[in-house]
Amino acid sequence: MAAATGQNTVDVLSLSWGQSEAQLAYEIKQGVTPAKYNQIMNLLFEQAAAQGISVFAASGDNGAYDGISGGSTALSVDTPANSPFVTAVGGTTLPRTYNVNKQTVQINKERAWASEFLYPQYKNQQFNGFEDWVQTFFAGGGGGFSRYNAVPKYQSGFSGVGTYDATRLWSFKNGKAKLLDKPVAVSGKAKGRNVPDLSANADPNTGYAIFITPKKDSSATGEWEVSGGTSVVAPQMAAASILMSNNTSGRLGFWNPQIYRFAAQTNSPFTVLDSRTNNTNLYYTGQPGKLYNQATGLGTVDFNKLDKLFNS
């Protein structure tokens, strides 16, 4: 990241690496990671923004519980998606019909990516260890509130930022997770940089066909696989940024101050996924009538509209 920013030869950077703020806090406490890691990363991203480089970061694939794979049961967001100087990209899932325990589950419209509607299918399933269990029950687009970074100016006062609606599906005691018999609806206010900024289809169940050839023998017959994750979506945003910048005289620059301004206009390029029900990232949901939520950010993008706004 430091080398790419310092060289200043690219217009766009896409980041799919990261870790939860919960894991970062643990590593800082153990002395493994510098205490000023967050400040160091923010300085790099701020430099990129000042140079006009657009930076996109995947928001994580464990929903609102970004640290769950490391054993943390706290609500947590991913770093570096938590930085106020990057565009954090979250996940959605597309309409599809599922067969769950001999019953049909219909997803009728695009919603936040999470696996909670498939939980009945997993009731008697055997898992190959903790990681398999996490990937099954805690699949979803990352989002929530940063504990390291304050609300940036472009989010301050924006509709839905700093407030939340949520559905509590789990209880945690002594590090053990228990699925609640009846989900609990909660709402409130919280401080910190809100994540993500926008979203796109990231659910592997509705994801992308990828042709893979064996690493050691490229001449061998490969196979098609369907993949997903916010690490697939962030590069898409980066590619779209490059294409839209071809219509301008220079770089599009740091997206966030621009897209939040666009989202507040009557010709917004975003479709807000604000439903309170069937629209969770395993905790946060849509906020009806508001333009932002921590499950999907500003929502999904109409790139034709966005292109015109960037180039107007």
Side-chain angles (χ1 to χ4, degrees), residues 180-288:
L180 298 178
D181 293 330
K182 186 176 180 180
V184 178
V186 295
S187 61
K189 297 180 179 180
K191 298 180 180 180
R193 194 272 206 252
N194 286 222
V195 178
D197 295 303
L198 42 76
S199 295
N201 174 31
D203 185 351
N205 289 317
T206 59
Y208 306 90
I210 299 176
F211 190 77
I212 300 176
T213 56
K215 183 177 181 180
K216 295 183 179 179
D217 184 5
S218 59
S219 65
T221 302
E223 62 181 9
W224 286 98
E225 294 184 4
V226 177
S227 183
T230 56
S231 291
V232 174
V233 179
Q236 291 183 56
M237 294 296 170
S241 186
I242 292 171
L243 292 173
M244 289 186 289
S245 69
N246 288 339
N247 298 327
T248 69
S249 58
R251 295 171 171 173
L252 293 184
F254 181 34
W255 272 33
N256 290 12
Q258 303 176 85
I259 62 175
Y260 279 86
R261 177 167 54 87
F262 296 157
Q265 299 175 1
T266 54
N267 61 334
S268 170
F270 298 99
T271 298
V272 184
L273 306 182
D274 65 350
S275 175
R276 181 69 179 77
T277 58
N278 300 317
N279 186 39
T280 168
N281 73 338
L282 300 177
Y283 186 73
Y284 298 105
T285 70
Q287 298 186 78

Side-chain angles (χ1 to χ4, degrees), residues 3 6 31 33 39 42 44 62 101-102 114 132 184 223 235 243-244 246:
T33 298
Q39 294 94 315
N42 279 342
L44 287 172
N62 293 128
N101 284 346
K102 298 181 180 180
D132 184 31
V184 178
E223 62 181 9
L243 292 173
M244 289 186 289
N246 288 339

Side-chain angles (χ1 to χ4, degrees), residues 65 68 72-75 119 133 138 167-184 282-283:
Y65 299 95
I68 192 72
S72 172
T73 58
L75 295 170
Y119 281 178
W133 177 82
F138 288 88
T167 299
R168 189 158 63 88
L169 301 168
W170 296 87
S171 65
F172 301 96
K173 186 176 182 181
N174 299 324
K176 301 291 185 179
K178 180 182 178 182
L179 185 62
L180 298 178
D181 293 330
K182 186 176 180 180
V184 178
L282 300 177
Y283 186 73

